[in-house]
Amino acid sequence: MTAAVQTSPNLATRLVNSILAIKPLANLAKHQARQMMIKRAEDMGVPWTKEVQKLQARDWQTELAQVQNPELSYPDYYLTSFHAYETGNLSWQAAFEVEPAAYAVHAKIWQGAKAQGDAKLRQSYHDILKRSLAYEPQDILDLGCSVGLSTFALQEVYPHAQITGLDLSPYFLAVANYRAQQRQAKINWVHAAAESTGLPDASFDLVSIFLVCHELPQLPTQQILAEARRVLRPGGYLAIMDMNPKSEVFQKMPPYILTLLKSTEPYLDEYFALDIEQAIIEAGFQAPAITSNSPRHRTIIAQVSG
Ligand SMILES: C[S@@+](CC[C@H](N)C(=O)[O-])C[C@H]1O[C@@H](n2cnc3c(N)ncnc32)[C@H](O)[C@@H]1O
């Protein structure tokens, strides 16, 4: 009985791995997964196709030129396929689809949440932030801000703060810049690597890292923690929200589903294996508080030590 239970996921995993090893089949699988995601979004009232077409029709040269650092060189780990986009985060298509994709992916975190799942996830993080921070942060850095979803959400929580959003993708930042103009939001967008931001020492009260670490190998994560420590003021806070490897959802996930997930998230194994608590302490923070904020996510808050 037990043997049969253990054998079937292994077989399924091997089958998934064999399919993914054959490029045309892997492409077909990614195409199917993508179509399913678009359908899920459209079915719950998120107009994926229409919104993406609207963005495609614009001329982006001005927004791009305002944020892009043409001198920037990208770390190798970033120049890989992510989320089934061949050129990862470095494309207009990825940038135009980030927002509806976030709604589709987060729709299933809580039963019945649907298109509200994304907002609920951010709210659950902000609730922990608000009760954990001893003071209202004046200067906030959102590392891996993408098209600004996490940045604008932080601005709503802390409307009097000066907020900087930093990302490696100039395409994502161009969309963020456009969205900021639409909302008349004043945000400082920075095109840089989170591990070497170029921002001054001790210039922030809060560094927020929302859904970024699972996209990173361990070394850059450690470097980013050290960089966060450098730019934080004494008493400043680091806050990280990401997948919770210890949650039941991941512990009980059938291995073949995990394999499928890993095919679009190249560094998930490294993320799952990292002792993030220890890495945070080694970067110069007090022992962090780790709270589960969704059935499959955790929020980590740590204050600068000393
Ligand atoms: C899943 S997205 C999260 C986006 C955003 N924080 C949100 O809540 O929607 C991860 C983002 O991290 C960015 N990123 C990944 N590695 C990075 C690095 N080393 N430095 C800066 N940004 C990075 C990616 O370009 C992408 O925009």
Side-chain angles (χ1 to χ4, degrees):
M1 228 3 219
T2 314
V5 170
Q6 283 173 349
T7 310
S8 68
N10 287 344
L11 269 178
T13 305
R14 283 211 298 274
L15 185 65
V16 168
N17 272 328
S18 333
I19 290 171
L20 294 175
I22 304 167
K23 195 136 196 201
L25 288 183
N27 287 344
L28 186 68
K30 284 178 189 171
H31 175 77
Q32 284 302 107
R34 185 181 146 69
Q35 292 312 311
M36 268 172 53
M37 194 145 78
I38 296 176
K39 185 171 180 317
R40 188 196 291 175
E42 302 269 357
D43 284 352
M44 57 188 196
V46 174
W48 179 307
T49 314
K50 211 172 109 208
E51 275 305 312
V52 171
Q53 280 170 354
K54 249 205 284 189
L55 295 176
Q56 276 166 342
R58 294 194 73 256
D59 176 353
W60 288 91
Q61 289 321 305
T62 308
E63 283 84 4
L64 184 65
Q66 283 169 350
V67 292
Q68 188 170 30
N69 171 7
E71 310 296 318
L72 187 66
S73 59
Y74 298 93
D76 284 347
Y77 67 82
Y78 192 74
L79 300 172
T80 185
S81 156
F82 274 102
H83 308 146
Y85 297 105
E86 210 49 48
T87 50
N89 294 322
L90 292 172
S91 77
W92 284 115
Q93 192 191 3
F96 297 156
E97 296 186 339
V98 165
E99 191 170 340
Y103 298 142
V105 170
H106 299 148
K108 292 213 164 174
I109 299 174
W110 287 278
Q111 219 180 359
K114 297 194 176 162
Q116 289 311 309
D118 183 77
K120 202 169 163 185
L121 181 63
R122 295 178 196 281
Q123 181 71 51
S124 65
Y125 169 62
H126 296 148
D127 288 346
I128 296 172
L129 259 187
K130 281 188 286 187
R131 63 170 190 259
S132 306
L133 272 50
Y135 55 90
E136 184 115 351
Q138 299 302 305
D139 294 282
I140 301 175
L141 174 59
D142 181 21
L143 289 178
C145 66
S146 177
V147 298
L149 294 181
S150 47
T151 328
F152 301 131
L154 277 169
Q155 195 171 45
E156 275 173 28
V157 180
Y158 297 114
H160 304 298
Q162 302 286 322
I163 307 197
T164 298
L166 178 146
D167 205 279
L168 260 176
S169 170
Y171 307 100
F172 288 13
L173 284 175
V175 174
N177 183 18
Y178 170 61
R179 293 291 187 214
Q181 289 167 28
Q182 285 183 312
R183 304 165 70 104
Q184 299 186 316
K186 202 173 147 284
I187 308 275
N188 175 33
W189 302 113
V190 177
H191 182 209
E195 48 272 59
S196 58
T197 63
L199 296 165
D201 289 359
S203 49
F204 293 93
D205 304 309
L206 169 65
V207 172
S208 175
I209 308 180
F210 193 99
L211 285 176
V212 181
C213 296
H214 73 275
E215 290 194 5
L216 298 168
Q218 294 189 355
L219 182 62
T221 302
Q222 288 156 346
Q223 291 167 337
I224 289 169
L225 296 175
E227 181 68 352
R229 170 67 188 83
R230 183 187 70 76
V231 299
L232 277 167
R233 298 189 173 116
Y237 289 93
L238 167 72
I240 300 176
M241 200 309 291
D242 217 310
M243 293 179 188
N244 183 1
K246 292 187 177 146
S247 69
E248 264 195 21
V249 173
F250 290 115
Q251 295 285 326
K252 292 189 172 164
M253 187 171 270
Y256 75 96
I257 301 272
L258 206 53
T259 304
L260 273 174
L261 188 61
K262 285 175 191 168
S263 73
T264 66
E265 298 283 4
Y267 306 114
L268 209 54
D269 274 333
E270 288 203 44
Y271 171 70
F272 276 20
L274 178 68
D275 182 346
I276 200 153
E277 193 169 352
Q278 189 56 31
I280 288 171
I281 294 169
E282 280 168 13
F285 294 91
Q286 293 173 18
I290 304 183
T291 315
S292 133
N293 63 295
S294 98
R296 59 179 200 238
H297 296 91
R298 67 183 174 194
T299 292
I300 306 177
I301 311 255
Q303 198 168 15
V304 166
S305 56

